[in-house]
Structures are given as structure tokens and as C-alpha cells.
Amino acid sequence: MRSPLGMACAILLTIFILTGVFAPLLAPYDPLQLNLDDRLQAPAIHHWFGTDELGRDILSRCIFGARISLSVAMSVVILSLFLGLLIGSLAGFYGGWLDTVLNVYLINAFMAIPGILLAIAFVAFSGPGFRNLVAALSLTMWTGFARLVRAQVAAAAQMEYVEAARALGASDLRIIVRHILPNVLQPVLVQAALALATAVLAEATLSFLGLGTPPPAPSWGNMLNDARSHLFDSPHMVIFPALSVMICVVAFNFLGDILRDTADPRRKVRRSLPVEA
């Protein structure tokens, strides 16, 4: 609330989310409707963002693209967060050989493979589609959450309130769920905001390569893929979906940075200290 930039990013992201939710009500045209008589029209009063090579309204496709791209991004982050919380909590709480297996071998093995190559290989093997795309991107993103959760849980497990709960006879599951996780969620949620930006960009990348949601679904990456052959004669086909991706990714990144600054007490102390002349 104190940061104008944070409020602006929150408003932008709210607009994107509401646009995706109410896409059928907001889109002026059917995003799949063909009209070859109006193909490759420049932005005008009837088509604010112009039309593509099949005469489809680009504004309507951008609106529905928000629904697909944000649905994929949020699904990826939720699934990655669940896996990261599960594996990171087990590794950080129990330590020992379990930590060695999960952290040293499993997490490092996934982190050693470039994420985009792993996602491309998974989608190429299993086929394009919403579920396969979410699964592929989740395989590349859960490791960051797991590493963060492991470090936070390992530190929290040594605190006095955990020892008190254990002395009162609380089970390990209750200690993790009721006492540790609520105290380590703040940095995890900051990481989730930054991960949403990565997921939006990764979805657009895979869709641009033809490995995302199959056409004619109007995702932003598919729209950029369709516009490659008209980059110079109809640049509006590239400009508007590219701007949608850029604004959404930048807003998530700025929001994540602001949340991180707000959650870090050391930054608050620095800001409150008087500046010496």
C-alpha cells in the first residue's frame, strides 16, 4: 500500500486476471471466428488491435490469451509449490540420509538439466496440451521452491517453539503443518510471485515453439508463432501479444521484488536509519 509501483503492478495483474476470467464478456468478437475478407487489417475502430492472417480479431485473441497463459502459469506455480513444500519440508525437518537423497541427489539432478530443455523434451515425448504443458513446466520449477523450503524448515526446526511442541507430544506432521510451515511461508510466497513471471514467459516460449496449447487456442505464444511470417508487413500481429507478455512478466517481477523488500526486516532497518551527510 505504501509503494506506488507495487500498487500499479497489483492493479495491472488484477486487470489481467479479471480479463481472463470474464473473457467471453469482454471480447468483442469470437477469437476463433474466421473472416478472410478482413485479413491483416491494421488497428482501426472496428478492430482495435487489427486482425491476423485469417481475419481473427487480435484484441479478442489477446483477451482469451490471458485466460490460457495465466491459467497455465498459476497451475504450474501451485503444483511446483506443492512439490517444493513436500520435498523441502521432509529434507529440512528430518535431515540425515533423507536430506542427502532428496537434496543432494534428487534436487541437484533436476537442477543440472537446463529447465527449458527438460520441458521441451517432456512435451515432445508426451505431446502438446494444457496438462502436459503444466506438468513439463512444473518439473523445471519445483526445485527452486524445494531448496528454499528446505533451508527455511531446517532453520525453523531448531527453534524453541518446535522443541516445546515436541515436548508436549505433538507428532511430526502436526509440528510441520501447524508450527513450522506458517512461519516460513512468507519468503515462499515471494518466490511464488517471481515464479509466476517465469511461468508466463516459459509458457509463451513453448507455445511459440509449437509445444504449448495446440492451435487454434489463442495463447500469447501461439499468436507470436502465427505472426512470424508477417513481422514486417503486419507488425501489429507481433506487437500486441508481445506487449501482453512483457507487461504481465514485468508486473509479476516488480511485485515479487516489492514483496521481498517488504518482507526483509534488514531492508526496513536500512530505510529507517538516518542518512549521514
Side-chain angles (χ1 to χ4, degrees):
M1 295 297 293
R2 300 176 183 175
S3 170
L5 180 59
M7 287 299 299
C9 293
I11 292 172
L12 277 175
L13 294 174
T14 301
I15 292 173
F16 273 111
I17 293 172
L18 293 178
T19 298
V21 172
F22 298 105
L25 301 177
L26 298 175
Y29 298 93
D30 183 349
L32 304 181
Q33 181 181 356
L34 306 182
N35 188 358
L36 297 180
D37 293 334
D38 293 333
R39 62 189 302 269
L40 299 179
Q41 282 193 0
I45 188 64
H46 296 295
H47 299 282
W48 289 3
F49 288 1
T51 60
D52 64 7
E53 60 184 355
L54 298 177
R56 296 172 295 191
D57 183 65
I58 294 179
L59 174 58
S60 301
R61 291 179 65 78
C62 283
I63 290 174
F64 274 86
R67 165 179 285 190
I68 294 177
S69 297
L70 291 178
S71 296
V72 171
M74 291 180 180
S75 300
V76 167
V77 170
I78 290 173
L79 183 56
S80 301
L81 181 59
F82 173 76
L83 292 175
L85 285 173
L86 178 62
I87 296 175
S89 297
L90 292 175
F93 185 78
Y94 290 105
W97 67 268
L98 184 60
D99 183 34
T100 301
V101 171
L102 295 178
N103 183 40
V104 177
Y105 296 117
L106 181 63
I107 297 178
N108 284 344
F110 275 90
M111 295 186 72
I113 305 173
I116 191 65
L117 294 182
L118 179 61
I120 290 174
F122 184 91
V123 176
F125 177 79
S126 59
F130 182 90
R131 293 182 179 178
N132 293 337
L133 181 60
V134 170
L137 294 179
S138 299
L139 283 176
T140 68
M141 295 183 63
W142 69 269
T143 53
F145 289 106
R147 273 283 172 89
L148 177 61
V149 171
R150 174 197 169 273
Q152 296 290 327
V153 170
Q158 308 302 321
M159 302 298 290
E160 289 80 2
Y161 64 87
V162 174
E163 296 296 333
R166 186 178 287 112
L168 292 174
S171 64
D172 291 347
L173 179 62
R174 182 178 178 84
I175 292 174
I176 293 174
V177 175
R178 293 293 302 275
H179 299 282
I180 294 181
L181 288 185
N183 289 286
V184 304
L185 278 182
Q186 191 173 45
V188 176
L189 294 179
V190 174
Q191 178 70 16
L194 297 172
L196 283 168
T198 304
V200 170
L201 192 58
E203 186 277 332
T205 301
L206 290 180
S207 295
F208 179 78
L209 296 175
L211 298 173
T213 306
S219 74
W220 292 332
N222 283 345
M223 295 175 66
L224 291 172
N225 186 26
D226 295 338
R228 286 185 303 169
S229 57
H230 300 281
L231 180 60
F232 297 105
D233 61 291
S234 298
H236 63 274
M237 290 182 59
V238 177
I239 291 173
F240 293 109
L243 282 176
S244 300
V245 174
M246 183 191 72
I247 294 173
C248 188
V249 170
V250 169
F252 273 125
N253 278 327
F254 275 131
L255 187 62
D257 289 339
I258 292 169
L259 289 175
R260 181 180 58 195
D261 294 345
T262 305
D264 191 349
R266 291 171 297 181
R267 294 178 182 267
K268 293 181 182 179
V269 171
R270 288 195 215 105
R271 290 176 181 175
S272 62
L273 290 176
V275 179
E276 296 182 1

